[in-house]
Amino acid sequence: MNESLRIGICGFGVAGGALAVLLARAGHRVTLLERAPKVGPVGAGFLLQPSGQKILAQLGLFDAVAQRSARIERLEAFTETGRQLTDLRYDHAGSGLCAYGVQRGVLFSALHETALLAGTSVTLAAEIAELDETPEGVLVRDVTGRNFGPFDLVVGTDGSRSRVREWLNPGNGRRREYTHGALWGSGHLDSPHDALHQVARSARQLLGLLPIGEGRVAFFWGLRRDEVDALQKRGYERFREDVAALCPRAVPVVDELGGFEHLSFAGYLHSLPRRVHTGRVVLAGDAAHAMSPHLGQGANLALLDAECLARHLSQSPLPEALSRYAAERRSHSRYLSILSQVLSPFFQSESRVLGWGRDIALPLFCAVPWMRRQMELSVAGLKEGFFHRL
Ligand SMILES: Cc1cc2nc3c(=O)[nH]c(=O)nc-3n(C[C@H](O)[C@H](O)[C@H](O)COP(=O)(O)OP(=O)(O)OC[C@H]3O[C@@H](n4cnc5c(N)ncnc54)[C@H](O)[C@@H]3O)c2cc1C
């Protein structure tokens, strides 16, 4: 429908990479602008849900990614005393379903290679600062004052702290930094399980182990932003003792990491902007809906956004394609955004009451078949609203 548009994609992450592949294959002239001086993923690993697997299969990348990833059958959570809080199973959400624990580098390399093969041009060290709509198209300016474009369409896939989102929503107040985040790293375990294993002490402490393939596991240790310095000052040995007290299974990973310099802190942010498009600029991925990672959905939503936007661009002329894309994706991203905002404090906050509430409520919910199924469909990414399935 839209013949060979000039498309600028700001941000080479999951959404930007997937979009570049789809749009370049559809015959558009695609330029990816990325602020990092070198291409590469940030972070340890993530859960690829059944919803995201479908899109990777459409891109022809699913087999290559799955082969190097870990099959995840269950999401299990325990209290520090060993009491089980959840045991959610993917095959309850659909026969044969599972998730994959994926090393970010594995997905990123697959997207990078395929985007280049499809004809995408990639410009690195281009940190986008602002946009300018001119009669010839949209110009994109980076922080050094370089201009890129003009483009017929600019897609903001520049992540949770998106500049394109700010440009579309000047003075946007609908952005909230969480007080909490997590230290992330990865190491090896002799026999990683087939589950994301989480241990919680009240809502104050959350530890997780996610198998990510090739014998590796991603390790995370949740904490408040303002506790990171104090933790480091106490020393790595004391941190190791804390980990051993909460989850002895994680100790070999902490030993292999060997020091705080091999753990990175990720702070979480929530944003659901009012405007996700104008006639020639549109947001996708975290830029359109940043949320805490407790539900494990962000990368999957980014893939779903990319597929949906590319499909509407192939079916409708430009301004209409963007409206249709935004309308189709609104319900799913709003549902998960609200759910993550409501649930995050039960897993990471200062509230003892929320921690107790969670420890009582979660096992009860899991014992009610309808509730359990709703939870299993939601984590699989197959529920797009409180009353709708994808
Ligand atoms: C600790 C942690 C754990 C997570 N676990 C999961 C999980 O298990 N499952 C899941 O589905 N999701 C998970 N997520 C969320 C997931 O990582 C994101 O939702 C996903 O990466 C979003 O993709 P994106 O392409 O929108 O943004 P990103 O992947 O963040 O990519 C954004 C890109 O834009 C670039 N950029 C930023 N600003 C600019 C600029 N001004 N100019 C140019 N380039 C710019 C960045 O360098 C980056 O390359 C997790 C997130 C975190 C932080």
Side-chain angles (χ1 to χ4, degrees), residues 307-318:
E307 184 282 331
C308 179
L309 179 55
R311 174 163 39 81
H312 283 296
L313 283 168
S314 73
Q315 291 171 353
S316 312
L318 228 192

Side-chain angles (χ1 to χ4, degrees), residues 166-185:
E166 281 173 27
W167 180 84
L168 269 176
N169 298 268
N172 165 30
R174 305 178 83 189
R175 163 186 158 154
R176 188 166 74 86
E177 297 273 355
Y178 283 99
T179 48
H180 287 73
L183 286 172
W184 286 77

Side-chain angles (χ1 to χ4, degrees), residues 11 13-15 34-35 47 104 126 128 158 184 286 296-300:
V14 181
E34 165 59 44
R35 76 171 164 196
L47 268 174
R104 280 179 189 265
I128 301 318
D158 48 344
W184 286 77
D286 277 8
Q297 300 295 324
N300 300 276

Side-chain angles (χ1 to χ4, degrees), residues 24 84 286 309 341 356 361:
Q84 187 148 24
D286 277 8
L309 179 55
Q341 206 173 13
W356 288 333

Side-chain angles (χ1 to χ4, degrees), residues 248-372:
R249 196 195 288 184
V251 171
V253 183
V254 172
D255 286 343
E256 182 184 337
L257 283 161
F260 288 117
E261 66 277 19
H262 300 298
L263 287 159
S264 320
F265 180 76
Y268 307 147
L269 186 142
H270 183 92
S271 171
L272 194 59
R274 211 176 292 277
R275 282 176 95 196
V276 295
H277 69 96
T278 61
R280 292 187 290 181
V281 179
V282 66
L283 304 176
D286 277 8
H289 38 66
M291 60 188 78
S292 79
H294 295 105
L295 295 174
Q297 300 295 324
N300 300 276
L301 285 173
L303 290 168
L304 288 160
D305 286 356
E307 184 282 331
C308 179
L309 179 55
R311 174 163 39 81
H312 283 296
L313 283 168
S314 73
Q315 291 171 353
S316 312
L318 228 192
E320 191 185 329
L322 303 189
S323 305
R324 285 174 183 255
Y325 152 78
E328 183 176 328
R329 295 300 302 139
R330 185 174 300 126
S331 161
H332 195 196
S333 44
R334 274 186 71 85
Y335 169 65
L336 290 169
S337 177
I338 293 169
L339 210 58
S340 77
Q341 206 173 13
V342 171
L343 293 180
S344 290
F346 286 89
F347 289 90
Q348 279 190 275
S349 68
E350 293 307 293
S351 169
R352 276 181 194 280
V353 178
L354 291 183
W356 288 333
R358 176 203 60 206
D359 292 355
I360 293 166
L362 266 183
L364 288 177
F365 288 167
C366 288
V368 178
W370 184 85
M371 285 293 293
R372 184 189 168 103

Side-chain angles (χ1 to χ4, degrees), residues 9-18 33-36 38 40-49 100-102 104 107-108 123 125-130 140-143 156-164 181-184 196 210 220 264-269 284-303 305:
I9 301 180
C10 305
F12 194 175
V14 181
L33 302 165
E34 165 59 44
R35 76 171 164 196
K38 266 171 63 181
V42 177
F46 69 92
L47 268 174
L48 180 66
Q49 307 289 2
Y100 286 86
V102 178
R104 280 179 189 265
L107 176 62
F108 190 81
T123 303
E127 180 170 353
I128 301 318
E130 56 184 336
V140 176
R141 191 163 307 122
D142 79 358
V143 289
T157 51
D158 48 344
S160 58
R161 291 177 170 75
S162 169
R163 296 297 287 269
V164 183
L183 286 172
W184 286 77
L196 165 63
L210 171 67
F220 61 88
S264 320
F265 180 76
Y268 307 147
L269 186 142
D286 277 8
H289 38 66
M291 60 188 78
S292 79
H294 295 105
L295 295 174
Q297 300 295 324
N300 300 276
L301 285 173
L303 290 168
D305 286 356

